Amino acid sequence: MTVRQTANLMYPAMRIANGEMLEVNQQFLFETDNAIRVLEEKTQARLSSQERSMLRLLIDAHDKWQGLISAYRLYLINRLGSLHEDVLPTQINDIDILFNRVSDNTRELSRLARRHNLDLEVVVATEQMHLLSGQWYGGFKEVLRINTGNWRGDIPLMTDKIHPLFVQLYQRLDQLDDALKQSADVDLAKQTQIGGTIMQSLWGVALFVFCVAIVSLIVLEYNFIRPIASVARSLKDEAQGKLVEQLPDVQTTEIRDLTDAFREMRQQVHSRQMALEHIAMHDSLTSLPNRILLMDRLNQAINNARKRQRTLALVMLDLDRFKEINDTLGHQTGDALLQQVGARLREVLRDSDTVARLGGDEFAVLLTSINETNAMRIAGTILEALEKVYEVYEHSLYVGVSLGVAIFPQHGETAEILLQHADVAMYVAKRSNNGITLYDTRRDQHSVSQLSVLSDLREAVENQEFYLEYQPELSMSTGAIIGVEALLRWRHPVHGIVMPDDFISTAEQTGLIKRISQWVLDKAIQDCVRLHTLGHKISLSVNLSVWDIQETSLANAIRNKLEQYAFPADYLMLEITERVMMAEPERARQVLKELDKMGIKIVIDDFGTGFSSLVYLKNLPVNMLKVDKSFVMDMFKDESNATIVHSIVELAHNLGLQVIAEGVENDQTWIWLKKWHCDIAQGYYISHPLTLSDLEHYLISSVKERLLGKSVT
Ligand code: C2E
Ligand code: CA
Ligand code: CA
């Protein structure tokens, strides 16, 4: 470190170069400059020729010296930096040459100075220059003598002292490395040994755990899993109604509890199932089998009969005025009556026969192993038993019954068809007031539509399968269309257009008529409002049924409708039949009065077919009579019809009522009706019922025709 920090020790040449030669160099330059200055201080003119050549020589010496010093510095740099060693000899040679020139120069100068007796100062300077240059060159020679190796003082130290130390250090490091490697090898061996031991222990533990697990599994399997699986299987079998295999006989408490619980549950499920089955298969009111059970037994009976080539009979029956009884005497009475009917049926029949209640007042009886004659005879017995008076809550009730009979296999080979056909036969019995009817294949076509009516009517209301047609009503005096009658149509998804005669009575029986009537009123009023806005101020007739008029809320419902659509009440006419009036005269009168107060007109429809006397009508708020079409249509085939029509017109006028003749089919009828001063005519002669858009066209063209004088009048 000391060598590195001390320049003279680090670079030995520097002592000579810096210490001696530099000083000499400076002195030489000083002396030279001094001499030059002395000579220059004299003006050029005053200089002698010797002095002038002296000055030249001095300046030359000065320059050469500078060159010498530069060359020497270059040499030093090369040496110290160990740069271009190969140029050193050339550089030394250059220095020698330069020095010789300087030396020649100084020698000449001092000679000249002394000879020409120049200023002392100049003489001394030149002498000094010569002396100093010699001295400098001595120093240079000394520098040259320095060995190549000694130019840097640290090199011997590095090679002789530091390098051996490094060698030693590396040796030690190698030793240390070896030692470490050895100890690492030893450690590795040790650890491998420990790892092996741990591995062995782990295997041992694993084997032990495995054995324990296997044993536990076996214990678990035999004591729990298998018994539970067996219970589960039994549960599943039980759920699927299969025979339950033996329950496991295992001693563990848990499993025993489980099997006990299962046995108990099975018993409870069984009894509940029985109860549920009974509920599902029986009618709650009469405890008789219901439709499901009947169908089940019927299917079985059909299978048996088929195998043994026997016949069987299915009897369908329903009560004729049950709905009225229910409505007037209350549900309790109705229910009690149904229970008595059920009991009487069971009484007169064998235990082997099935008596079922299908709903409402509808019952069915399945008679097995019976022929047609005997079936009809038993139907007679049933009729006789059921038509006897019933004592229900201090009421004595007489109830009509209609029975339909269908025989397997001639009237149907499946349960469904047999039931359908018994139903059709019952329907026919009811219509013809026949009591009992045996199914007749020839009536099939007609009856099928009746049947589908029964089942599809409810859906028709939901699915909006109804639409309306309008039949014009013509004023006989003016020939103007003064109103239309709304007529209901049913667009059945399968049977196509169904006419009201084929479904209105069913709708009445099922009570659906109320909803249908509401719909008709709503739609017809909307349509007529439209006609009014188009400029056709005509009245609207809507048909109501028995049940509508019994409803005390009818007047309110109609008032709301009129308000809703802002339809004037005096444009609305409600058509009701005499039958409607007779069913509940007092209630009907109340309802009619209210309607009358609102300004609504009441028309007695199908007039002439019922029994109502005109006098009776006088006390009712009735505005018009509609002569039934059966009289009008055949007026000229049957003279008595013409007489009836004529006298109805006369009598009605006497009572202050207007008369509409419906069923006007030809001009002859038209002419006579006009002669008798019938007020209004309706019928195919004027127009068939029309859809709303056809009616709009019809109204427009009839206005035009009247303007052109082509009217039927
Ligand atoms: P209705 O009230 O006596 O209606 C007149 C019936 O006679 C209509 O039959 C009509 O198309 C038909 N008709 C009209 N002009 C002639 C003719 O010149 N010759 C013949 N042969 N028939 C003619 P539709 O439309 O089949 O209606 C039948 C019955 O259904 C109606 O008899 C009515 O009692 C009932 N009905 C129709 N629409 C409704 C309704 O919206 N509600 C209720 N409750 N009953 C309705
Ligand atoms: Ca009518
Ligand atoms: Ca009518």
Side-chain angles (χ1 to χ4, degrees):
M1 291 307 283
T2 319
V3 168
R4 281 271 164 102
Q5 279 166 0
T6 319
N8 282 346
L9 288 179
M10 182 72 177
Y11 303 108
M14 291 311 247
R15 184 186 46 81
I16 307 163
N18 274 346
E20 294 159 26
M21 292 172 80
L22 186 65
E23 207 174 313
V24 172
N25 171 33
Q26 281 165 351
Q27 274 178 21
F28 181 89
L29 285 173
F30 175 77
E31 293 301 338
T32 314
D33 289 343
N34 204 26
I36 290 170
R37 186 183 45 78
V38 171
L39 284 176
E40 276 180 347
E41 271 170 3
K42 292 184 177 180
T43 52
Q44 288 283 344
R46 278 171 53 206
L47 280 179
S48 65
S49 63
Q50 289 89 353
E51 282 171 332
R52 234 175 264 135
S53 57
M54 272 291 286
L55 191 58
R56 238 186 350 258
L57 277 171
L58 274 170
I59 292 168
D60 187 44
H62 183 272
D63 291 347
K64 286 199 173 89
W65 179 256
Q66 294 275 41
L68 175 69
I69 296 300
S70 297
Y72 173 60
R73 283 187 182 148
L74 216 65
Y75 169 79
L76 274 185
I77 290 166
N78 261 336
R79 273 322 296 254
L80 289 170
S82 300
L83 294 170
H84 310 283
E85 301 252 340
D86 46 334
V87 300
L88 288 178
T90 326
Q91 283 180 337
I92 294 169
N93 197 33
D94 287 350
I95 291 168
D96 279 343
I97 292 167
L98 283 166
F99 174 71
N100 284 335
R101 288 209 193 132
V102 170
S103 190
D104 288 350
N105 204 323
T106 51
R107 201 178 300 118
E108 178 66 11
L109 273 170
S110 59
R111 190 186 61 82
L112 280 176
R114 252 179 279 124
R115 185 173 328 141
H116 298 295
N117 246 345
L118 288 177
D119 281 347
L120 187 63
E121 237 182 315
V122 177
V123 175
V124 174
T126 52
E127 301 248 304
Q128 277 293 316
M129 281 168 70
H130 189 66
L131 204 76
L132 286 166
S133 66
Q135 255 179 42
W136 185 90
Y137 192 66
F140 175 64
K141 284 288 167 195
E142 209 177 325
V143 167
L144 282 186
R145 272 194 297 276
I146 296 172
N147 286 337
T148 318
N150 286 352
W151 271 85
R152 281 184 57 161
D154 58 347
I155 301 291
L157 271 175
M158 295 294 272
T159 47
D160 300 345
K161 290 195 175 160
I162 311 283
H163 182 67
L165 280 174
F166 265 113
V167 171
Q168 229 177 337
L169 186 69
Y170 280 122
Q171 278 173 354
R172 289 281 161 84
L173 279 173
D174 282 346
Q175 282 170 0
L176 201 64
D177 202 27
D178 285 348
L180 277 173
K181 261 188 207 153
Q182 271 177 12
S183 84
D185 285 349
V186 171
D187 280 359
L188 197 70
K190 262 189 205 159
Q191 262 154 30
T192 316
Q193 202 185 353
I194 293 170
T197 322
I198 291 175
M199 211 50 187
Q200 277 175 359
S201 325
L202 277 179
W203 273 109
V205 171
L207 196 70
F208 175 72
V209 170
F210 181 71
C211 292
V212 170
I214 291 284
V215 172
S216 318
L217 209 66
I218 292 167
V219 172
L220 206 68
E221 171 78 17
Y222 279 92
N223 284 307
F224 293 94
I225 296 177
R226 287 195 181 191
I228 288 175
S230 151
V231 174
R233 227 180 359 261
S234 309
L235 267 171
K236 213 164 153 189
D237 288 349
E238 184 73 23
Q240 290 172 350
K242 287 188 203 156
L243 202 70
V244 171
E245 61 180 63
Q246 192 63 40
L247 283 174
D249 190 19
V250 170
Q251 294 315 308
T252 52
T253 346
E254 293 84 354
I255 297 300
R256 214 179 308 119
D257 287 350
L258 189 67
T259 49
D260 288 350
F262 172 68
R263 280 197 190 96
E264 201 174 308
M265 183 208 73
R266 185 164 61 178
Q267 263 167 9
Q268 281 186 17
V269 167
H270 267 302
S271 48
R272 265 185 226 165
Q273 204 173 324
M274 299 288 276
L276 279 176
E277 264 171 28
H278 190 267
I279 291 170
M281 297 284 187
H282 290 79
D283 163 48
S284 55
L285 181 69
T286 58
S287 294
L288 292 174
N290 61 11
R291 187 183 289 269
I292 300 168
L293 187 53
L294 173 80
M295 291 310 272
D296 193 47
R297 297 221 180 134
L298 186 57
N299 276 313
Q300 272 180 28
I302 287 174
N303 282 340
N304 280 337
R306 200 173 277 135
K307 270 186 223 147
R308 292 197 248 147
Q309 304 220 319
R310 295 268 174 85
T311 55
L312 61 85
L314 185 69
V315 182
M316 285 271 290
L317 59 98
D318 89 3
L319 313 181
D320 286 346
R321 278 174 47 240
F322 178 72
K323 200 165 164 43
E324 275 169 51
I325 292 169
N326 220 15
D327 287 349
T328 47
L329 302 178
H331 288 281
Q332 241 189 341
T333 315
D335 286 354
L337 174 67
L338 290 174
Q339 282 168 336
Q340 288 194 27
V341 170
R344 284 191 198 179
L345 281 169
R346 274 262 56 102
E347 237 167 67
V348 295
L349 293 164
R350 297 173 296 182
D351 284 348
S352 56
D353 300 326
T354 300
V355 177
R357 178 171 172 235
L358 305 184
D361 57 343
E362 235 179 39
F363 293 83
V365 177
L366 166 62
L367 306 168
T368 46
S369 304
I370 199 166
N371 61 19
E372 189 181 301
T373 327
N374 284 336
M376 289 307 276
R377 192 177 47 75
I378 292 180
T381 318
I382 292 173
L383 184 71
E384 202 180 318
L386 295 188
E387 285 194 333
K388 278 188 191 141
V389 67
Y390 294 84
E391 299 294 339
V392 188
Y393 301 122
E394 76 263 353
H395 298 290
S396 297
L397 300 174
Y398 290 93
V399 183
V401 186
S402 305
L403 291 94
V405 184
I407 308 289
F408 170 88
Q410 59 261 44
H411 297 153
E413 300 210 6
T414 67
E416 285 75 21
I417 295 196
L418 216 54
L419 192 75
Q420 250 182 35
H421 289 174
D423 198 20
V424 169
M426 179 185 79
Y427 208 83
V428 174
K430 193 181 269 301
R431 281 193 129 198
S432 55
N433 251 328
N434 227 0
I436 304 168
T437 304
L438 183 67
Y439 179 74
D440 182 351
T441 329
R442 285 167 300 167
R443 261 199 293 238
D444 199 39
Q445 266 328 89
H446 173 73
S447 309
V448 164
S449 75
Q450 295 282 10
L451 261 186
S452 51
V453 164
L454 283 166
S455 51
D456 298 347
L457 203 54
R458 200 174 298 274
E459 283 169 33
V461 184
E462 309 290 327
N463 300 346
Q464 307 209 325
E465 290 167 4
F466 294 118
Y467 68 98
L468 292 175
E469 284 191 343
Y470 297 95
Q471 191 174 31
E473 294 167 334
L474 200 78
S475 158
M476 299 204 80
S477 52
T478 66
I481 307 293
I482 53 145
V484 285
E485 179 181 5
L487 295 163
L488 185 60
R489 305 288 179 256
W490 177 12
R491 196 178 283 109
H492 190 284
V494 180
H495 301 299
I497 308 296
V498 183
M499 297 307 272
D501 277 336
D502 289 331
F503 65 86
I504 288 290
S505 67
T506 315
E508 284 175 343
Q509 281 168 30
T510 51
L512 275 171
I513 190 68
K514 286 178 204 165
R515 286 176 63 189
I516 296 176
S517 298
Q518 289 298 322
W519 181 86
V520 172
L521 266 166
D522 195 83
K523 180 76 172 89
I525 291 175
Q526 277 189 59
D527 287 352
C528 204
V529 166
R530 178 180 156 77
L531 294 175
H532 280 203
T533 53
L534 290 175
H536 309 294
K537 298 280 182 201
I538 55 173
S539 63
L540 168 69
S541 296
V542 174
N543 293 286
L544 290 183
S545 88
V546 195
W547 300 107
D548 296 319
I549 219 78
Q550 306 279 300
E551 201 69 40
T552 37
S553 60
L554 179 75
N556 257 337
I558 293 180
R559 186 182 293 120
N560 290 341
K561 282 261 143 65
L562 295 176
E563 276 171 14
Q564 186 185 351
Y565 298 111
F567 187 70
D570 50 351
Y571 276 95
L572 182 62
M573 311 210 277
L574 297 176
E575 298 190 7
I576 47 177
T577 60
E578 295 166 88
R579 197 162 56 88
V580 173
M581 301 300 301
M582 306 313 282
E584 277 270 351
E586 214 22 69
R587 214 189 293 185
R589 190 201 305 276
Q590 287 302 320
V591 176
L592 291 188
K593 265 191 188 156
E594 267 195 71
L595 294 170
D596 182 55
K597 258 192 267 166
M598 288 161 60
I600 294 167
K601 299 200 177 70
I602 308 295
V603 183
I604 301 295
D605 201 359
D606 301 344
F607 191 80
T609 53
F611 318 97
S612 55
S613 71
L614 285 168
V615 183
Y616 169 74
L617 282 178
K618 209 182 161 191
N619 299 322
L620 285 172
V622 170
N623 307 79
M624 288 189 203
L625 298 184
K626 197 177 242 190
V627 188
D628 190 66
K629 60 177 178 285
S630 59
F631 306 112
V632 182
M633 275 167 9
D634 296 336
M635 242 165 67
F636 296 98
K637 279 189 206 142
D638 186 341
E639 234 173 75
S640 62
N641 278 345
T643 317
I644 290 171
V645 176
H646 190 189
S647 50
I648 290 176
V649 174
E650 298 263 288
L651 283 165
H653 281 168
N654 284 341
L655 286 169
L657 302 173
Q658 284 196 304
V659 182
I660 308 178
E662 65 175 3
V664 179
E665 292 188 338
N666 48 54
D667 56 344
Q668 209 182 355
T669 313
W670 169 269
I671 290 163
W672 278 101
L673 286 170
K674 203 167 155 68
K675 234 179 234 176
W676 297 333
H677 301 292
C678 177
D679 304 276
I680 299 161
Q682 174 186 5
Y684 295 166
Y685 177 61
I686 297 142
S687 167
H688 280 262
L690 303 167
T691 60
L692 181 66
S693 67
D694 285 348
L695 175 67
E696 283 175 23
H697 289 125
Y698 178 86
L699 287 170
I700 292 166
S701 58
S702 79
V703 170
K704 278 188 199 153
E705 271 176 22
R706 268 203 311 134
L707 288 173
L708 295 169
K710 278 198 252 163
S711 144
V712 277
T713 50

